[in-house]
Amino acid sequence: MMSKTAMTRFLDAGDVAALVRGIGPDKALAQLADEVRTDFLRWREFETSARVASHSPVGVIELMPVTDGTQYAFKYVNGHPRNARHGLPTVMAFGVLAEVSTGLPVLLADLTLATALRTAATSALAARAMARPGADTMALIGNGAQAEFQALAFHGMLGIREVRAYDVDAAATARLRRNLAHVPGLAVVPAASVREAVAGADIVSTVTADKARATILTPDMIAPGVHINAVGGDCPGKTELHADVVRHARVAVEYAPQTRIEGEIQQLPGDFPVTELWRILSGDEPGRTAADDITLFDSVGFALEDYAALRWLHACASARDAGRRIELVAAPADSRDLYGWMMGAGPARDATAAVACALRRQGVAAG
């Protein structure tokens, strides 16, 4: 017999999608941004470290852990720019939230969707603290899977009214326009080039996927006062900005030791000055000092954002009883009798479940 207290809530991809759909994407982004901000303001309570990455010529697989001493979280995530050729997402992820006091995993969830949500929420959170007040136009360079979330977050949290969208694949921009056509007060305007999209924009977001040292933005494209949200450069050897764009900006990062390896600042010396985002959110450091400052959020994604996403998912799912409770780990009623559990109640339960599954496949109701 399994201990009733050792169950884990499981949210598969469909469960997470249904949960976000039921809350509403705009509200979900706002709620998640609040959770991310709350946790960044608790920065000193966390045991932080750079993620562990395994790189290959075609992509990367990473593990991202963090804990505040009460709860522990990690995310497994990949980044494979060529996955579209195989009918797979560029980014896929799942995560675990566990109790530090017992080690029990209380949540196992798909984080592919939540990664897009938390990235957009964090981007908008940083821009709200760094961009010029009254910003209402954004260039969105790269219209892949992250694009809608970025546009919605900046619309809802900063009041962006016009998104000037550009992608090398015109079909991606057309999809973005189609998906957001129903959003009141938001216009998605296709641009013929990066330069056309950027011209006159208050905020520039780069969200490209190629694992390469690309130069999406050059200094001559950037006007004084612009805020740049650089999202696509997120691993060694992958950048989007000309080094001089970075060099002449006030740069904020999530976690400096990780960003110096993976972000746009990998192009610059290791002592190049940056400010961690939590210091700006807490008011310790200013987001900008003058209207004509060029500001840059060099975003690579950090485990604390996934911790916030997992906590948010767990709270929302528990309130709505979403997903299902599973026996993710073996936890016999008598914790010392793992063998007896294996030979007794465990296999019996599994056999019953296997029979019920076979009957369902045959269209027979198991009574």
Side-chain angles (χ1 to χ4, degrees), residues 16-25 27 320:
V16 176
L19 194 60
V20 174
R21 193 166 55 246
I23 295 169
K27 189 174 180 181
R320 293 164 176 77

Side-chain angles (χ1 to χ4, degrees), residues 13 16-18 20-21 93 110-118 149:
V16 176
V20 174
R21 193 166 55 246
D110 169 72
L111 284 185
T112 307
L113 175 57
T115 294
L117 287 164
R118 67 80 156 146
F149 302 98

Side-chain angles (χ1 to χ4, degrees), residues 146-176:
Q146 176 71 220
E148 286 87 351
F149 302 98
Q150 289 281 328
L152 287 172
F154 277 77
H155 174 60
M157 293 176 59
L158 278 87
I160 291 296
R161 295 183 296 177
E162 180 177 287
V163 172
R164 300 173 184 173
Y166 174 74
D167 195 288
V168 292
D169 180 5
T173 304
R175 184 214 71 240
L176 174 65

